[in-house]
Amino acid sequence: VSANKSAVKIIAEETDLHAQGYFVYDSKKSGAMTVSHLRFGPRPIHATYLVKRASFVACHQFSFLERQDVLEVAAPGATFLLNAPYGPGEVWGHLPREVQQVIVEKNLQLHVIDAHHLARTLGMKGRINTIMQTCFFAISGVLPRDEAIARIKESIKKTYGKRGEAVVRKNYAAVDDTLANLYQMQVPAAVTSTQ
């Protein structure tokens, strides 16, 4: 939620777009599913409502694919960002059949990153919010990439500055290393999973 609130703030302050975030989350918080509905566009946004036809869907926990219909709201041709514990050459084979079917039928663009591995490598344990936020800005094109990265880093300094320079540096490294670990997948023409 914090990364998405930051993304909304960056979009609203750094572009001519109006932006809004609406969040649905379980009272358990830790380990529970949170759904963030981010909307932005050239006209003012006056109402809060759930996005029912999304041009960008991100799944931050691979296991949610087996428990939830994550892609139900994905519009045809939408972008799907997936945090997966598999490399680009093997992730397709690990997707549930229903997920593969939706990706093929809706002609989704699939982008994959192993954000948990990258976070652990950088000494950030399971903190993937900076990584996933960087992916969003890199893929969405809502801001030019270099400008988006500069804005994310400014936000990191404001958010984590009180925790010390080491925390800020780790988050900066996460931003810098994300793009090298983000892959756009070539989606096969047919479903192959037997799961």
Side-chain angles (χ1 to χ4, degrees):
V1 173
S2 62
N4 285 328
K5 286 181 179 179
S6 173
V8 169
K9 188 172 182 178
I10 289 170
I11 293 166
E13 292 177 356
E14 304 298 331
T15 71
D16 293 333
L17 301 174
H18 297 271
Q20 179 188 73
Y22 188 74
F23 306 95
V24 179
Y25 50 92
D26 192 300
S27 61
K28 289 189 290 184
K29 296 281 273 177
S30 182
M33 189 169 89
T34 299
V35 180
S36 301
H37 297 263
L38 307 183
R39 296 186 295 143
F40 46 92
R43 292 187 303 259
I45 301 167
H46 297 293
T48 56
Y49 57 84
L50 304 180
V51 175
K52 296 195 187 318
R53 192 170 162 90
S55 59
F56 191 103
V57 175
C59 179
H60 296 202
Q61 301 291 337
F62 192 84
S63 63
F64 288 163
L65 295 176
E66 296 171 356
R67 302 187 319 224
Q68 302 287 326
D69 188 355
V70 173
L71 296 174
E72 178 182 16
V73 298
T79 298
F80 178 37
L81 169 60
L82 177 62
N83 176 24
Y86 307 104
E90 59 183 326
V91 70
W92 184 257
H94 289 277
L95 294 174
R97 184 173 185 79
E98 296 80 18
V99 173
Q100 285 185 355
Q101 188 72 41
V102 172
I103 291 170
V104 170
E105 286 176 0
K106 291 187 176 184
N107 193 31
L108 302 182
Q109 295 178 38
L110 176 60
H111 297 261
V112 178
I113 188 164
D114 187 347
H116 285 105
H117 174 74
L118 180 57
R120 284 190 305 275
T121 301
L122 295 168
M124 297 172 63
K125 299 182 182 175
R127 309 295 298 176
I128 65 168
N129 55 338
T130 299
I131 296 165
M132 297 304 286
Q133 180 185 37
T134 303
C135 290
F136 166 75
F137 278 109
I139 296 167
S140 71
V142 69
L143 280 171
R145 189 176 283 191
D146 291 341
E147 186 178 339
I149 288 171
R151 299 300 159 259
I152 292 168
K153 287 184 175 182
E154 287 172 11
S155 176
I156 287 168
K157 186 71 172 169
K158 287 179 192 173
T159 303
Y160 300 114
K162 293 176 186 172
R163 295 186 186 174
E165 192 59 33
V167 173
V168 171
R169 277 196 310 271
K170 284 181 187 179
N171 278 275
Y172 282 178
V175 172
D176 294 336
D177 290 356
T178 292
L179 300 181
N181 290 281
L182 176 63
Y183 302 95
Q184 181 169 3
M185 304 297 301
Q186 189 66 35
V187 175
V191 173
T192 58
S193 179
T194 56
Q195 301 179 34

